[in-house]
Amino acid sequence: GLRRVFTMLSTLIRGFAGATDGRFYRVSPSFVDSALPPGASVIPRPTFAAWLRAGPLVLINTPNTIWALIAVCMFECVPYDLSRTGPAASAPLSAAFFAARLPLWLGVWLGYTLWWHATLHWFGFAERPFVAAREYRPGRVAHNLVWSVSGVVIWTGFENVFAYLWATGRLAYVDETAWSSRRGALHFCAALLLVPLWRDVHFFFAHRMLHFNALYAQVHSLHHRNTDVEPFSGLCMHPVEHLYYFACALPSLLLLTTPFALLWNGVHLLLSPGASHSGFEDHWQADAYHYFHHRYVSCNYAGTNAGFLDVWFGSFVDTLKPTDQKGCKPRPDAKATLTRPPSLEFAAYLALSAGCVLAWAVAASDVAAGAHAAAPRLATHLAVLAGFGPVAAASAVTGITRSGGGAPRGGPLKTGLLLAFFFS
């Protein structure tokens, strides 16, 4: 009995935070055959049962351990000011709130992602890149940084809206000072455990929606400018994609939760893409599963943990295509640059989609400032415009400029595309 307990504890320690035999670099996932080129090993077929079994250990033997510790430290050391006189209560988009929170988020995101970029692409901590003849391009990294920073700004906007709703009493929440109560402890533990699982499910459907022809052409194709990924490419997205990606915060709007749930969700959203877009196979957060998605586009829409959803919807790919089995050849990724001026199509869609969101933002700020009373019907119309206007604009622009062509449809639709709208 004691030997069995010791064996279980030893296994957990060796796999702590996703490590393999206690190692974090130059070690590949268990399914990898090191005699084959990177990516040529076959990923085991993921199942729903395996995902459920792994759920209770999601904070022990996965990278969620690190992200959760970062979230707890942020929550304790830089707590939200939800008082009536604090910056959050002044407006749903407040300069004072951004001045306090944006540097924090930028610092955490940049520090974490730069660590992965530096250790893998500068210092050689890993030895198995998916593309052996990879050329390091500072211009591509700069492109990825700019669009990623826009994502951190947008997330801070999401956080500002929630903090405003809490501080002004418009949205109920579990008081974060109630750590000693049973209720507070339950909410805290539930958030720690359930946010990663919810992220798995939401990501698949929101991501699948972005591969709809028009949304891919106008929005998600920016993220796919990187076919050979690096850590800063993880959060490199079109601003409209950031809106749907960060819609994962929905439970904090619909459920009575602690503000920690929102912050933990934000940490997960901002940090998890870094290592999963590393471009290497041999480190503790390596993700060949998602690399195949960038290589081939129309497959593996889920994260590694929820790959069973790709199995269900017919989009699962378990290894490199035969043409890449002897090693992935480099691709130019020429569009991942800031030196090319944007096309008229790109600029037109960006302006239209920004107008959809700004209409809501201006009206919400006016109501908060007391410029005019809130009109429920107008508020509903503006919310619909902000949420679905970018989708309609994408369809219109794509229809005019491409006659419906120019983007992959992403494999079997089944019911995935329909469900995507409910999850984003």
Side-chain angles (χ1 to χ4, degrees):
L2 288 176
R3 178 175 293 180
R4 184 177 180 183
V5 171
F6 177 80
T7 301
M8 290 176 61
L9 289 174
S10 178
T11 301
L12 288 175
I13 292 171
R14 291 199 305 271
F16 179 73
T20 300
D21 292 328
R23 296 166 60 194
F24 295 100
Y25 288 97
R26 298 184 182 179
V27 60
S28 300
S30 58
F31 68 85
V32 170
D33 181 351
S34 59
L36 298 175
S41 301
V42 177
I43 298 175
R45 193 175 183 86
T47 65
F48 178 62
W51 182 71
L52 286 180
R53 286 196 302 270
L57 301 177
V58 73
L59 296 176
I60 300 174
N61 60 1
T62 72
N64 287 294
T65 312
I66 305 300
W67 305 328
L69 289 173
I70 292 172
V72 171
C73 289
M74 288 179 65
F75 191 68
E76 287 295 316
C77 298
V78 194
Y80 291 121
D81 179 0
L82 300 181
S83 66
R84 283 284 187 173
T85 57
S90 61
L93 294 174
S94 160
F97 185 91
F98 269 74
R101 301 294 295 186
L102 181 57
L104 172 67
W105 284 112
L106 283 172
V108 170
W109 165 78
L110 183 61
Y112 182 83
T113 311
L114 182 60
W115 166 264
W116 280 107
H117 186 89
T119 56
L120 296 174
H121 291 263
W122 295 349
F123 303 138
F125 280 30
E127 298 177 324
R128 291 175 61 83
F130 290 111
V131 177
R134 174 183 292 138
E135 177 187 358
Y136 186 83
R137 290 176 47 218
R140 183 170 73 117
V141 177
H143 165 275
N144 295 339
L145 271 166
V146 167
W147 290 108
S148 295
V149 168
S150 77
V152 181
V153 173
I154 291 170
W155 168 254
T156 308
F158 268 75
E159 185 185 42
N160 193 166
V161 170
F162 274 95
Y164 171 77
L165 294 174
W166 290 324
T168 57
R170 288 174 168 84
L171 183 65
Y173 66 95
V174 177
D175 186 356
E176 74 270 22
T177 61
W179 291 103
S180 58
S181 70
R182 180 180 299 178
R183 183 189 184 199
L186 286 174
H187 276 273
F188 175 73
C189 293
L192 274 175
L193 188 62
L194 296 179
V195 162
L197 303 179
W198 162 244
R199 279 271 292 120
D200 286 343
V201 177
H202 177 271
F203 179 75
F204 173 82
F205 290 104
H207 188 192
R208 185 64 189 85
M209 183 186 77
L210 289 164
H211 278 260
F212 168 63
N213 188 39
L215 282 176
Y216 184 91
Q218 304 303 330
V219 179
H220 194 49
S221 58
L222 190 154
H223 183 68
H224 277 275
R225 290 175 183 177
N226 290 271
T227 59
D228 181 28
V229 292
E230 57 84 24
F232 286 114
S233 68
L235 201 63
C236 172
M237 304 175 190
H238 192 286
V240 169
E241 178 168 356
H242 283 128
L243 292 178
Y244 296 126
Y245 179 65
F246 294 142
C248 189
L250 180 66
S252 291
L253 184 65
L254 300 181
L255 305 174
L256 181 64
T257 64
T258 167
F260 173 75
L262 178 77
L263 187 142
W264 171 211
N265 210 331
V267 169
H268 206 288
L269 286 159
L270 293 180
L271 300 191
S272 60
S276 66
H277 290 75
S278 69
F280 285 80
E281 187 183 52
D282 55 332
H283 61 84
W284 59 305
Q285 295 183 35
D287 195 348
Y289 190 96
H290 193 68
Y291 185 81
F292 297 160
H293 175 74
H294 275 265
R295 190 77 183 175
Y296 305 126
V297 181
S298 302
C299 65
N300 293 11
Y301 300 104
T304 303
N305 296 332
F308 67 90
L309 289 166
D310 281 303
V311 174
W312 287 359
F313 289 105
S315 51
F316 174 60
V317 168
D318 60 1
T319 190
L320 291 171
K321 290 183 178 180
T323 53
D324 291 328
Q325 281 288 325
K326 293 183 179 180
C328 293
K329 293 180 174 58
R331 294 176 179 174
D333 290 349
K335 292 183 178 180
T337 178
L338 298 174
T339 59
R340 288 186 175 185
S343 66
L344 180 60
E345 177 185 359
F346 183 89
Y349 176 70
L350 186 61
L352 284 172
S353 56
C356 293
V357 178
L358 287 174
W360 168 85
V362 170
S365 298
D366 286 347
V367 170
H372 57 75
R377 181 171 294 182
L378 176 61
T380 300
H381 291 165
L382 290 174
V384 170
L385 178 65
F388 295 97
V391 179
S395 297
V397 171
T398 303
I400 293 170
T401 60
R402 307 189 184 197
S403 299
R409 291 187 178 275
L413 283 176
K414 294 188 177 179
T415 58
L417 186 57
L418 296 176
L419 288 171
F421 283 94
F422 292 97
F423 278 84
S424 56

